[in-house]
Amino acid sequence: MPLSLATAPWGLLAGSMAIEANLTPLQGQGLSSIVFAGAAQLVAIGMLKGGAGVFSILLTTLLLTSQHLLYGMSMRSVISPLPGRWRIGLGFLLTDELFALTSQHDRQQFNRWYALGVGLTFYIAWNLFTLAGIVLGSSIPGLEHLGLDFSIAATFIALITPVVRNVPTVVCVAVSLFCSVLFSYWQWGSALVLSGLAGMTAGFVCNKLYRERT
Amino acid sequence: MIWAVIFGMGILVFLNRYVFLEPRLPVRLSSNARQFLGFAVPGMLTAICGPIVFMPDKQLNLQWDNPYLLSSLVAIGLVLYTRNTLLSMLLSMAVFFLLRWWL
């Protein structure tokens, strides 16, 4: 639950950047309440500001958020047997953070109410902080230069580090890290998902080799 | 025009999240696929962090005065030492803002 506090800087950033890019406050809030995807929102705002077309923004969104396909696939065994309302609700709330918190649960441990609670908490926190960002962004210029993006790195590092317990996971993280920096350096639009896949593949292959030897 | 972008993005993101949760979609996951997806958390989350930490301002920065890099190392150290996710997160953010102010 307290993890939702970590969305604060991102929400503030999303809100204040929207104002900076000359979106109306309602549009800024709409991004957070309808799209509800931090990275995609920030990139889209940047592109709107730069005068990019609708199509290129949508394509970038698709690539940037394609990690959710993987999340959906891996949560499939626990969520797809649920009734439609639950699937749509949890599907809408399936963020990086929710996935990180619930993905280790198998069918017995998975509690739909817990997932819904976590998801809604993130949703509400995200929107409240966006609102705060919109208000602050309208009154204090230059909020985006404060380095608020570190909070997301801090959150994810805190979530990843305890998971790294064996050699294949170390390989996975190392490959993913290296590729993400390299691909971003080359400015590939799909840098994120490609490097994630590269890391996952490396971990998977390493896991196979590791098991065969022992 | 901006509203069209917002709704378009909303639909795309939702479809990305929902498509594999739909039971009528005929997909069976093999044991290999499950193992592969087990690496999704470390793989994807690391990929999101990489550019934030190593490329602030879109420039590769491997210097020791990169506050993002230093604070990330502090964060890893704190998690390993305290085993407390929230505490490490908050402390490393405090370290980050101190470093930014100081460096």
Side-chain angles (χ1 to χ4, degrees):
Chain A
M1 273 326 133
L3 274 180
S4 57
L5 280 181
T7 64
W10 270 70
L12 288 172
L13 196 61
S16 58
M17 271 182 66
I19 296 301
E20 192 101 344
N22 289 322
L23 269 69
T24 64
L26 196 62
Q27 287 167 336
Q29 193 70 54
L31 268 174
S32 281
S33 53
I34 297 168
V35 183
F36 189 42
Q41 276 176 239
L42 294 184
V43 172
I45 292 171
M47 290 179 78
L48 278 172
K49 200 178 175 184
V54 178
F55 182 75
S56 56
I57 295 178
L58 291 183
L59 187 66
T60 311
T61 305
L62 192 63
L63 292 175
L64 268 179
T65 58
S66 42
Q67 83 264 26
H68 294 105
L69 284 172
L70 296 169
Y71 300 165
M73 213 187 280
S74 95
M75 301 293 281
R76 181 176 168 82
S77 64
V78 291
I79 297 184
S80 73
L82 299 176
R85 276 178 307 172
W86 280 94
R87 292 198 311 266
I88 291 177
L90 290 180
F92 180 74
L93 296 172
L94 186 57
T95 52
D96 299 316
E97 288 86 354
L98 179 61
F99 177 66
L101 286 176
T102 54
S103 66
Q104 314 298 334
H105 296 178
D106 58 23
R107 223 172 284 198
Q108 274 82 45
Q109 290 171 299
F110 183 79
N111 181 329
R112 56 178 91 172
W113 292 102
Y114 171 76
L116 183 71
V118 172
L120 276 180
T121 310
F122 280 126
Y123 185 75
I124 293 166
W126 179 246
N127 275 285
L128 285 179
F129 287 122
T130 306
L131 182 64
I134 291 173
V135 173
L136 285 175
S138 314
S139 43
I140 311 168
L143 207 60
E144 75 271 24
H145 299 302
L146 279 177
L148 295 172
D149 47 353
F150 180 71
S151 72
I152 202 72
T155 315
F156 288 175
I157 289 170
L159 289 172
I160 300 162
T161 312
V163 182
V164 185
R165 281 193 224 100
N166 49 33
V167 178
T169 320
V170 172
V171 173
C172 164
V173 167
V175 170
S176 170
L177 188 64
F178 180 75
C179 290
S180 68
V181 176
L182 187 68
F183 296 166
S184 311
Y185 187 71
W186 287 339
Q187 305 191 334
W188 288 6
S190 45
L192 221 155
V193 77
L194 284 179
S195 34
L197 284 174
M200 288 166 67
T201 311
F204 175 74
V205 170
C206 188
N207 196 21
K208 285 271 160 199
L209 297 174
Y210 209 61
R211 280 203 191 163
E212 270 165 29
R213 251 194 339 184
T214 48
Chain B
M1 156 40 203
I2 291 176
W3 280 111
V5 171
I6 294 174
F7 279 103
M9 285 175 67
I11 293 168
L12 283 178
V13 174
F14 177 72
L15 284 180
N16 263 344
R17 286 173 177 160
Y18 182 75
V19 66
F20 284 111
L21 301 177
E22 171 57 53
R24 273 167 293 180
L25 191 80
V27 183
R28 289 245 163 260
L29 293 182
S30 64
S31 127
N32 273 342
R34 271 171 221 276
Q35 282 180 35
F36 179 70
L37 291 170
F39 289 99
V41 171
M44 288 310 307
L45 298 193
T46 305
I48 297 174
C49 290
I52 297 178
V53 172
F54 288 97
M55 302 180 63
D57 307 317
K58 315 273 175 236
Q59 299 279 316
L60 188 62
N61 185 345
L62 294 174
Q63 304 294 314
W64 279 108
D65 61 358
N66 174 358
Y68 288 85
L69 191 54
L70 283 178
S71 330
S72 301
L73 294 176
V74 170
I76 295 173
L78 280 169
V79 179
L80 292 177
Y81 184 68
T82 65
R83 296 269 151 204
N84 181 331
T85 307
L86 186 71
L87 181 76
S88 329
M89 221 169 63
L90 293 176
L91 280 179
S92 62
M93 279 166 69
V95 168
F96 173 78
F97 285 112
L98 271 179
L99 282 173
R100 254 183 91 93
W101 168 75
W102 185 48
L103 288 174

